[in-house]
Amino acid sequence: MSHGARVIRTGVSSGGVAAPPSTYTASSAGSDGELVDGAYFRSCVGMLKVAQMIALLIAFISVNNSRWTDYSAYSYFQIVTMCDLVMILFFYIIYVFKIYRKLTCVSWPLAEFLHYLIGTILLLIASIVAASKSYNLTGLVAGATFGFLATILCVLSMWSSYKVSCITQSTNASV
């Protein structure tokens, strides 16, 4: 009796590029024919990215709608928050629409790790500067607070990205 061929899904494509950093299993990722990865929406990594985008958007809006006392400090804060928001949205779209499977020439976990490393440092500096120049204006204090919250969320994402890109690659190299 023949039971037919079985396909076993792994987290690594044929090009050797690791799957996106996530906490959901490969079997819950949906079929290859689907355009949108529905399990990524519900994964911890996906929800963490959404929380980062919301915190960055609130920080930007609260600083943008406040009365500024120091133009250079808050314009730097706005630039950093918007650039970080756009890059997080970029990686979110890459993973939701499974673009990482088509563009195997890029190491997506490593690219995301480097983005979080640089973006988190710039966001921390911008939040410190914004907090020191806020002069107890509520909108500026709220912007700096949400900037610090986004920094903490980015550190969490950087840690999960590091675990996927560095630790997974070192264990696969020894096999």
Side-chain angles (χ1 to χ4, degrees), residues 61-112:
I61 289 172
S62 61
V63 167
N64 192 38
N65 292 334
S66 296
R67 186 175 52 89
W68 291 5
T69 55
D70 188 2
Y71 180 76
S72 62
Y74 293 109
S75 62
Y76 172 71
F77 183 81
Q78 285 183 323
I79 290 170
V80 168
T81 55
M82 275 297 104
C83 288
D84 216 10
L85 177 72
V86 167
M87 287 304 296
I88 291 170
L89 181 64
F90 172 75
F91 281 109
Y92 188 74
I93 289 171
I94 291 289
Y95 292 130
V96 165
F97 290 108
K98 302 179 195 176
I99 298 172
Y100 64 92
R101 291 185 181 178
K102 309 260 187 290
L103 297 174
T104 58
C105 60
V106 178
S107 174
W108 291 107
L110 182 61
E112 188 175 20

Side-chain angles (χ1 to χ4, degrees), residues 145-157:
T145 303
F146 278 101
F148 284 121
L149 177 66
T151 303
I152 292 169
L153 294 173
C154 286
V155 167
L156 290 174
S157 287

Side-chain angles (χ1 to χ4, degrees), residues 112-127:
E112 188 175 20
F113 173 73
L114 291 176
H115 157 258
Y116 277 120
L117 181 67
I118 295 168
T120 303
I121 291 169
L122 292 176
L123 188 60
L124 179 64
I125 292 169
S127 298

Side-chain angles (χ1 to χ4, degrees), residues 34-45:
E34 293 179 1
L35 178 65
V36 177
D37 190 359
Y40 191 76
F41 289 120
R42 295 177 301 275
S43 70
C44 289
V45 176

